[in-house]
Amino acid sequence: MEPRKELPKRIGFWLNEKKCKKFNVPEFVEECRKKNMEVIKLLLHEPLQPQGPFDVILHKITPIYAQALDANQEACLLASAFEQYLLSVPSVPVVDPVPALHTLLHRPATYALLHAITAHDDQVMTPPYVELPDTNMRTKKQLLAQAGVTFPIVCKPVFGCGGTAAHELAVVLSASRLTEWQGPCVAQSFVQHGAVLYKLYVLGDAWHLVVRPSLKNFRATDAPTVHFNSSKVSKADSCSPLTQLDQSDRAMRHPQPDNSVFDRIVRTVRESLSMDLLGIDVVIDSSSGQYAIIDVNPFPSYDSIADLMPCFATLLFEKIQQRSCGHVLSASSINDLLPARGGRRQDSAGIDIPALLRARGHLPRLQCGEDSRTDDSHEGNSSPNTITQATYNTEDARSSAAAAGGEENSCIQTDSSSTTNSKICSSSGKKNTSCDSNSFTDRKSCSSSGKKESNYGENDATVTMNTMNAAHEKTLNGRYRKELSENKGCIENAVFQTNGINVTLSHDNGISERKKTCDAAAKNVINSTDIKQNTNGPANIIAQNGIIMTSNGKRSDSSGIFDESQSKNDLKSDQNAQLNIKCTNIASKCCYELDEMQNEVHHITNNTITDGITHSLKGCLYSDQCEDDCAGYAEKHSKCDAYCNLDLASHTEGSCSCSPACDVSKTNVLCTYSAGSPSAAGASSSQPYPSHVMSSVSSSSTLQQR
Ligand SMILES: Nc1ncnc2c1ncn2[C@@H]1O[C@H](COP(=O)(O)OP(=O)(O)OP(=O)(O)O)[C@@H](O)[C@H]1O
Ligand SMILES: O=P(O)(O)O[C@H]1[C@H](O)[C@@H](O)[C@H](OP(=O)(O)O)[C@@H](OP(=O)(O)O)[C@H]1O
């Protein structure tokens, strides 16, 4: 008897029309067919569940997010439905996981991540950068100086994916020309790199190098700002005058690229994002020889890569195989490769795209899963020992849930409203449905458990596990839970690593939840005084088996305790961490005005950090609307317990500040004073160019199989 032919595996697939054309879908379908896989285009406007089941999902959803960020309600709903669907099929591999895309959508989050992961590599860096709000010139100059960003600078829109506007950039050559950029941006030091761009196209475990034209060398002068669209300068067929080196630069020797450094960059970036499809843009600093990562794109064009479709089909085939063999998927396979480096992962590097959308009013309150808490749940929870919550939507969680009488696909929710122990809940729409901080919709149900009063018991965990990445499904075990509970959560976007497998924790997104968890952390998490004062921890810290690292790479001992003297300086110089600390603490202080606070947090984040001082009023110190801002803050903060007294009398530009009488120990970072100067985040060190030489790099692709 003839062996029965296996049914084809089903690939759920979504690209927008433009990308479909570029991607050569017919060839992709054909290659998949050869491997007994069928490609089913997802109809995002229709319910997704009935379109399944799928064995793997391949998508590029970022254009939908870009539209959502541009106030398109329909796009918002589509993104929400898509995320919701992914949550409902947690064991299906997704190429690539959505939380990582949140990071790549937002340039400051991307650069924060790059800064953190390159901090210890002398040869690799991301250029100094700072997010500049649409504010007055003085503030801008101050922010640039604080961050160590030097002219010329490249100004880039804050959101980096999607339509044309995201790619309208400018090179501003001097501070006096700053007025020539309108609106907020990320400003990044320009790196002179001889007009050569190295694109690293990552496809699963393989990467391809493509050499592209890039901006010529610019130097600080008073010349007018150079506006350009990035899609016109660095494509294979670009021939912009902006990429023609000046005569005087042509003779300059440009450092030869070293494949091993590229390989390291690929591994580190891929590991940090747990993604399979990436375009990493690198330039080499002509004088220092350092490799500067200037951009990371999800699901890039793979322009000029030969035999792309068989590679795609193989990648998806392997994903399906790994799943059916019970292997952990992409994230951990990468980490397995790198046990010594200690896999890191920061899903959203502190940025919460859905929250941002809500704050801008782009997410309708209930349609897109706006937090459905009543005011009750936002306030009245000022007790430090209130809510702790953990959601583990994992395979192990499922079995635990089943063992405890829960349902398949359920999550375990440690909910301190039930005082100490975990509660098993179902994700099937029953009580306390599954929670995922990166989902638009589930926040509603998470927050429903945000009741009050419970002891912050030893067994409570304070984390919400990000369930979007199937790779995490199998990672929860007893030991893991112990570690989570020991760390008390409250470490937003932290990564815990056990046995080479990462789990990313991310916050609950609900401000009132944060307040509770942060307050709890103030009492429990980290023993360094400095960190305690900035409690709830730098969002970028990474905890591995009890060791905590700040985003500038300093390590605690194995119990999470930092050396006191060291940690002071570490934190001071750790600008990213401070930004996040501050942001979180402000949120934690003013918990009840969710949307507005998101704005405020954002605003304040844009205006933080001088000399290690984390004034909550930095925003108003430099803002044109000082008086308004201060009044606004004062009004909000006056409702917050333990908020320090503001010197309301001095609300004029440049002089409004926290009262010196403010009780530091009581008020956390809202009014914390400390001395000392910050070191510039992301400042590059001047390493001589290493002497390794790669034989040649052609403008065609080179395949590097790891
Ligand atoms: N810090 C920098 N120093 C020097 N040149 C830079 C820097 N940042 C960007 N560039 C130049 O500007 C181009 C576009 O920058 P970038 O990649 O950040 O923009 P983008 O809009 O994200 O582009 P993409 O189309 O690749 O997504 C780069 O290819 C490079 O030529
Ligand atoms: O792969 P290269 O040639 O580097 O170019 C990519 C850009 O760098 C990306 O910014 C584009 O993505 P977005 O359109 O999502 O911004 C991306 O757009 P695509 O998804 O339309 O291919 C590419 O154009």
Side-chain angles (χ1 to χ4, degrees):
M1 199 171 76
E2 251 192 46
R4 204 151 47 107
K5 201 170 174 232
E6 221 185 298
L7 282 174
K9 298 292 183 195
R10 290 167 53 88
I11 301 172
F13 170 84
W14 191 85
L15 301 178
N16 69 8
E17 265 182 44
K18 179 176 146 240
K19 184 75 174 176
C20 273
K21 282 186 192 134
K22 281 170 85 172
F23 188 62
N24 195 350
V25 177
E27 198 189 330
F28 172 62
V29 171
E30 175 56 17
E31 288 302 326
C32 291
R33 194 195 54 76
K34 289 183 194 163
K35 294 188 177 311
N36 200 26
M37 301 185 295
E38 66 178 312
V39 179
I40 295 110
K41 178 148 191 189
L42 297 174
L43 305 172
L44 291 191
H45 288 86
E46 293 175 20
L48 289 164
Q49 199 78 42
Q51 299 174 43
F54 299 110
D55 297 286
V56 66
I57 290 170
L58 174 68
H59 72 95
K60 180 163 182 177
I61 195 75
T62 46
I64 299 281
Y65 278 101
Q67 288 171 9
L69 286 161
D70 209 18
N72 181 322
Q73 294 292 341
E74 189 191 5
C76 168
L77 290 170
L78 293 181
S80 172
F82 185 65
E83 289 202 4
Q84 177 72 3
Y85 173 65
L86 296 186
L87 277 174
S88 73
V89 289
S91 63
V92 176
V94 181
V95 182
D96 272 317
V98 169
L101 300 179
H102 290 170
T103 301
L104 297 187
L105 277 162
H106 188 247
R107 290 191 209 259
T110 307
Y111 291 131
L113 176 69
L114 292 174
H115 176 59
I117 64 177
T118 57
H120 288 297
D121 193 322
D122 287 344
Q123 277 178 285
V124 182
M125 55 97 161
T126 195
Y129 71 96
V130 69
E131 190 177 347
L132 291 183
D134 194 7
T135 181
N136 62 355
M137 282 308 124
R138 199 177 63 172
T139 303
K140 287 188 180 178
K141 286 177 198 169
Q142 272 160 335
L143 289 168
L144 289 167
Q146 285 158 22
V149 178
T150 50
F151 287 91
I153 58 172
V154 188
C155 291
K156 310 183 182 186
V158 173
F159 292 98
C161 291
T164 330
H167 303 294
E168 298 289 353
L169 279 58
V171 182
V172 180
L173 300 163
S174 68
S176 61
R177 296 285 183 169
L178 264 174
T179 46
E180 293 169 6
W181 174 274
Q182 304 292 318
C185 71
V186 176
Q188 188 179 57
S189 297
F190 183 89
V191 175
Q192 301 217 25
H193 59 278
V196 180
L197 178 72
Y198 300 98
K199 270 193 179 284
L200 309 175
Y201 282 133
V202 183
L203 185 66
D205 282 338
W207 59 271
H208 309 251
L209 171 63
V210 167
V211 182
R212 290 265 184 90
S214 187
L215 289 184
K216 66 180 186 173
N217 293 339
F218 284 97
R219 296 186 175 78
T221 65
D222 199 32
T225 294
V226 179
H227 294 271
F228 66 101
N229 189 298
S230 59
S231 64
K232 304 262 163 57
V233 296
S234 291
K235 299 298 165 204
D237 52 359
S238 304
C239 50
S240 159
L242 295 177
T243 63
Q244 309 302 312
L245 281 177
D246 293 346
Q247 193 62 44
S248 52
D249 286 331
R250 289 193 191 147
M252 255 175 82
R253 218 182 120 257
H254 188 68
Q256 287 297 297
D258 177 350
N259 260 352
S260 69
V261 180
F262 288 145
D263 191 61
R264 196 160 76 234
I265 291 172
V266 167
R267 284 166 178 253
T268 310
V269 173
R270 189 180 168 218
E271 174 196 353
S272 69
L273 288 160
S274 298
M275 289 173 67
D276 283 311
L277 309 180
L278 286 168
I280 306 171
D281 293 355
V282 179
V283 296
I284 303 182
D285 187 316
S286 303
S287 41
S288 73
Q290 276 196 306
Y291 291 62
I293 309 176
I294 54 166
D295 189 25
V296 180
N297 294 303
F299 204 149
S301 68
Y302 296 99
D303 267 356
S304 71
I305 304 298
D307 287 334
L308 186 64
M309 291 310 152
C311 297
F312 259 94
T314 302
L315 173 73
L316 297 175
F317 184 78
E318 284 172 1
K319 291 276 164 198
I320 297 172
Q321 294 292 110
Q322 285 164 354
R323 181 197 184 199
S324 58
C325 298
H327 283 170
V328 188
L329 302 165
S330 58
S332 54
S333 59
I334 273 284
N335 292 325
D336 290 345
L337 285 173
L338 302 162
R341 293 180 62 81
R344 299 175 197 173
R345 191 188 142 111
Q346 288 173 283
D347 263 342
S348 49
I351 185 71
D352 175 353
I353 297 286
L356 207 64
L357 287 168
R358 279 203 316 275
R360 296 169 153 212
H362 297 171
L363 274 185
R365 280 216 155 238
L366 290 169
Q367 286 160 300
C368 269
E370 168 57 58
D371 196 326
S372 67
R373 279 170 285 198
T374 60
D375 282 350
D376 262 342
S377 64
H378 286 227
E379 58 190 25
N381 291 317
S382 54
S383 154
N385 296 330
T386 47
I387 184 79
T388 59
Q389 175 177 304
T391 301
Y392 311 130
N393 198 351
T394 72
E395 293 281 307
D396 282 6
R398 274 208 287 280
S399 42
S400 308
E407 298 178 23
E408 263 288 288
N409 278 328
S410 64
C411 65
I412 301 177
Q413 192 156 335
T414 308
D415 180 345
S416 59
S417 60
S418 65
T419 56
T420 45
N421 287 323
S422 298
K423 199 155 80 176
I424 312 288
C425 67
S426 154
S427 66
S428 58
K430 304 270 166 63
K431 204 172 163 195
N432 285 333
T433 52
S434 70
C435 309
D436 183 273
S437 62
N438 289 296
S439 142
F440 290 152
T441 46
D442 280 341
R443 224 171 294 115
K444 187 159 57 176
S445 41
C446 286
S447 62
S448 65
S449 62
K451 301 279 162 51
K452 31 183 145 168
E453 263 110 54
S454 127
N455 295 326
Y456 193 75
E458 208 41 43
N459 293 325
D460 292 342
T462 335
V463 295
T464 299
M465 248 179 81
N466 172 358
T467 61
M468 292 298 288
N469 192 316
H472 295 156
E473 287 180 15
K474 297 184 187 304
T475 58
L476 194 70
N477 54 35
R479 186 172 157 198
Y480 226 163
R481 266 182 232 134
K482 185 163 172 287
E483 286 189 10
L484 296 182
S485 70
E486 278 170 357
N487 281 286
K488 299 292 179 206
C490 239
I491 298 172
E492 296 188 6
N493 299 317
V495 177
F496 288 66
Q497 193 191 27
T498 307
N499 298 333
I501 299 170
N502 285 343
V503 169
T504 299
L505 311 177
S506 52
H507 60 75
D508 175 69
N509 287 340
I511 297 284
S512 67
E513 303 295 339
R514 272 195 224 170
K515 174 182 170 52
K516 294 164 205 158
T517 54
C518 298
D519 287 346
K523 301 222 169 325
N524 291 290
V525 183
I526 302 167
N527 289 330
S528 147
T529 310
D530 283 276
I531 299 178
K532 245 188 207 158
Q533 280 181 4
N534 292 312
T535 47
N536 132 338
N540 287 330
I541 70 175
I542 296 163
Q544 294 173 19
N545 298 324
I547 298 173
I548 297 178
M549 293 199 294
T550 65
S551 65
N552 61 352
K554 301 294 175 191
R555 292 163 71 90
S556 71
D557 68 15
S558 59
S559 324
I561 298 172
F562 284 79
D563 168 71
E564 194 86 16
S565 55
Q566 182 200 3
S567 64
K568 212 171 243 171
N569 290 327
D570 291 345
L571 284 186
K572 257 185 234 157
S573 61
D574 187 356
Q575 190 177 40
N576 292 323
Q578 289 219 23
L579 288 173
N580 287 315
I581 290 165
K582 198 166 130 44
C583 168
T584 313
N585 278 281
I586 287 167
S588 78
K589 281 289 166 197
C590 291
C591 54
Y592 53 89
E593 285 178 318
L594 184 62
D595 289 354
E596 278 177 55
M597 276 317 298
Q598 288 291 352
N599 276 328
E600 294 297 342
V601 167
H602 188 60
H603 174 66
I604 291 163
T605 304
N606 285 336
N607 291 282
T608 45
I609 315 301
T610 49
D611 57 41
I613 301 172
T614 48
H615 293 283
S616 67
L617 297 178
K618 234 357 141 194
C620 71
L621 277 175
Y622 300 125
S623 160
D624 284 329
Q625 296 98 32
C626 176
E627 276 191 54
D628 288 344
D629 283 358
C630 284
Y633 284 128
E635 192 191 314
K636 284 183 187 104
H637 292 165
S638 66
K639 294 180 194 162
C640 296
D641 49 344
Y643 181 66
C644 65
N645 295 320
L646 289 173
D647 182 2
L648 293 173
S650 59
H651 281 174
T652 53
E653 184 169 4
S655 66
C656 92
S657 65
C658 289
S659 159
C662 165
D663 179 349
V664 170
S665 62
K666 219 173 163 188
T667 57
N668 271 324
V669 290
L670 279 171
C671 290
T672 300
Y673 292 79
S674 61
S677 303
S679 64
S684 57
S685 62
S686 297
Q687 292 295 317
Y689 181 67
S691 58
H692 24 239
V693 172
M694 193 185 122
S695 49
S696 72
V697 181
S698 74
S699 60
S700 64
S701 73
T702 316
L703 176 69
Q704 312 289 328
Q705 186 79 43
R706 293 200 302 270

